[in-house]
Amino acid sequence: MNFLKRIFIGFLWLAAAAHVMSRGEMPLVLEAGPSAGHAVAQWNHVRLFSSWSELVDPAAGRLLEPAGWQRPAGQEYPTGAEWTQRYLRPLADALGDCVRFGARVVGVARRGRDRVVDAGRDVEPLTVHVETAQGEERITARAVIDASGTWGAPNPLGGDGLPAVGERDAAGRIVYRVPDLADPGERQRYTGKRIAIAGAGHSALTALVALAGLAEEHPGTQVLWLLRRGATGAVFGGGDADQLPARGALGQRARAAAQAGYVQVVTGFRTAEVDADADGRLALVSQDGHKLEPVDEVVVLTGFRPDLSWLSEVRLDLDPVLQAPRALAPLIDPNVHSCGTVYAHGAAELAQPEPNVYLVGMKSYGRAPTFLAMTGYEQVRSVVAAISGDHESAARVELTLPDTGVCGGAGVFDEPTQAATGGCCAPAGPVAVSIGEAP
């Protein structure tokens, strides 16, 4: 059996391949980057809030241990760099020739058939179109597991899901990742500057804590936190009630940084325009015309979305809202659920109309947030079992997800309010809430 998957985010292709090998078969792994953990390297300074005990796939651990690999202490929390060096790259080495680096998948189709043709879809193999430094090639495979993630497709600053007017032109002052303040050049970029952070998830909280620390050391640094929702609400997470302690602690540190006066919070702000002045500083304008004082830098951490372009010739059944597998979407919809209300799932929820094609990992979540590595490990265990014909194992649930301690969902948008004039659903106006003025 020839398994294939293409990776972009950097860890699930390793786990999936380990599960295939544990069943006595040889996978073929296509990695677009030059090495394992290529995408993780772009956030290698960020400390994960999952411990080592939750970051090592069981099948991968069994593959590594005979070669003398030392399992890290279970309750330690690695950075992205440590995760790559101590787990991802050793595992890629253990997989050997099964892994091809510098191989970017640009298309998947059923051999000799576009997505319209019914005949033969259940017997013809899949054809994977690959670009390498040597040129294009075609590879046939019985199954494709797409674990390419969403890292390469960050959501824009614009509040309607599209880039704000002027956002592309201001690219030199806008980043879409957590700044690495341990890098001297990057630290200099933000020191003494007025910085806007847009986003309300864990990446935004991580950036908030880091930049508030910079503001504490360098009083001329100002941090503005832009929230699309009308109030801070549960944005700081569940605290002590979070069953992932490091995740709860992150929210508490972010709350403390805001309350200490190093962050100004602006709520109800959905960016529509980015206006650059003569000095290149950026004035952000909301959809209702509220204009903020210019900032020097903007850090956009508003989530990610899947790149589905190279899957256009296979038949997918995706939720129209989240762009996640339709059976999975109701379980992860951020309008309804926190991470703790999502139960473990596998091949049954991830199956597509196209035989033996699966989306796993962050890509399976579409636009939904709060994906955990342990969720992905359970997904690939179940999917590999299903492809191997072990349907009993595929249906078995072997994971319980930790609760965030936050009830009632993520609150991604304010509930509509009744207008004073009697009309329905009038939106709340922008409200600037300063938790503290910078000293």
Side-chain angles (χ1 to χ4, degrees):
M1 182 183 296
N2 185 20
F3 281 85
L4 170 71
K5 77 187 201 63
R6 176 250 190 187
I7 188 67
F8 189 77
I9 200 168
F11 69 94
L12 279 183
W13 61 265
L14 297 165
H19 280 278
V20 173
M21 293 184 74
S22 73
R23 291 178 173 273
E25 304 186 52
M26 295 301 291
L28 174 61
V29 175
L30 301 180
E31 161 62 66
S35 62
H38 176 64
V40 177
Q42 298 175 56
W43 50 268
N44 60 15
H45 55 291
V46 176
R47 191 168 297 279
L48 287 81
F49 48 68
S50 292
S51 66
W52 272 115
S53 64
E54 298 154 340
L55 292 171
V56 176
D57 177 80
R62 292 191 294 270
L63 180 64
L64 283 166
E65 286 167 348
W69 175 74
Q70 296 296 310
R71 184 181 294 270
Q75 296 310 307
E76 293 181 358
Y77 295 86
T79 62
E82 292 166 343
W83 192 29
T84 300
Q85 294 164 4
R86 300 182 64 184
Y87 172 63
L88 300 179
R89 288 180 181 166
L91 184 50
D93 291 342
L95 292 169
D97 293 339
C98 294
V99 183
R100 292 179 54 187
F101 295 107
R104 179 175 296 278
V105 174
V106 295
V108 177
R110 189 64 60 178
R111 186 172 66 180
R113 289 151 176 80
D114 62 24
R115 67 184 293 169
V116 177
V117 178
D118 287 335
R121 298 198 83 84
D122 57 341
V123 294
E124 285 294 326
L126 293 153
T127 302
V128 182
H129 297 227
V130 183
E131 289 183 352
T132 70
Q134 290 72 43
E136 298 182 26
E137 61 179 295
R138 303 290 181 267
I139 301 172
T140 58
R142 175 180 171 182
V144 171
I145 304 175
D146 175 10
S148 59
T150 57
W151 175 257
N155 288 331
L157 176 61
D160 58 4
L162 298 173
V165 175
E167 181 175 347
R168 293 188 181 95
D169 292 337
R173 289 181 180 259
I174 301 176
V175 299
Y176 300 85
R177 58 181 179 79
V178 178
D180 181 5
L181 299 185
D183 179 89
E186 200 150 348
R187 188 177 187 86
Q188 183 178 7
R189 173 175 179 170
Y190 295 100
T191 298
K193 302 296 178 58
R194 180 172 166 84
I195 309 150
I197 303 173
H202 297 107
S203 293
L205 295 182
T206 300
L208 184 73
V209 170
L211 290 169
L214 185 66
E216 182 178 10
E217 295 178 26
H218 300 276
T221 305
Q222 301 176 37
V223 181
L224 196 67
W225 188 17
L226 308 182
L227 295 175
R228 292 172 178 172
R229 63 188 69 186
T232 54
V235 71
F236 295 110
D240 292 336
D242 194 320
Q243 293 178 6
L244 286 180
R247 183 172 61 192
L250 171 63
Q252 291 176 324
R253 289 197 302 272
R255 184 191 298 274
Q259 292 176 339
Y262 298 109
V263 178
Q264 180 182 359
V265 183
V266 179
T267 59
F269 193 94
R270 294 175 176 269
T271 307
E273 298 180 31
V274 180
D275 292 340
D277 64 18
D279 297 324
R281 302 181 79 215
L282 307 179
L284 306 182
V285 184
S286 71
Q287 63 184 13
D288 55 3
H290 183 64
K291 190 172 186 176
L292 302 178
E293 291 296 317
V295 298
D296 299 289
E297 302 286 346
V298 181
V299 179
V300 181
L301 299 165
T302 53
F304 298 87
R305 61 185 61 181
D307 176 10
L308 301 168
S309 61
W310 54 274
L311 295 171
S312 62
E313 292 306 317
V314 294
R315 297 176 177 181
L316 303 179
D317 184 19
L318 303 180
D319 178 74
V321 177
L322 295 183
Q323 296 178 299
R326 190 178 297 273
L328 175 60
L331 311 181
I332 60 175
D333 188 341
N335 291 288
V336 179
H337 297 281
S338 74
C339 182
T341 61
V342 178
Y343 67 77
H345 54 273
E349 292 83 1
L350 300 171
Q352 293 297 321
E354 195 70 58
N356 280 342
V357 172
Y358 293 89
L359 277 59
V360 301
M362 272 298 302
K363 193 160 187 177
S364 72
Y365 266 43
R367 299 193 184 203
T370 323
F371 179 83
L372 298 175
M374 65 180 82
T375 301
Y377 293 150
E378 176 64 7
Q379 287 180 339
V380 298
R381 183 203 63 77
S382 175
V383 165
V384 169
I387 295 172
S388 298
D390 186 354
H391 300 294
E392 179 182 354
S393 178
R396 189 167 58 244
V397 175
E398 299 183 0
L399 172 68
T400 300
L401 290 173
D403 203 319
T404 60
V406 177
C407 300
V412 295
F413 205 101
D414 296 323
E415 290 295 325
T417 59
Q418 188 77 18
T421 58
C424 175
C425 309
V431 180
V433 179
S434 176
I435 292 182
E437 295 294 335

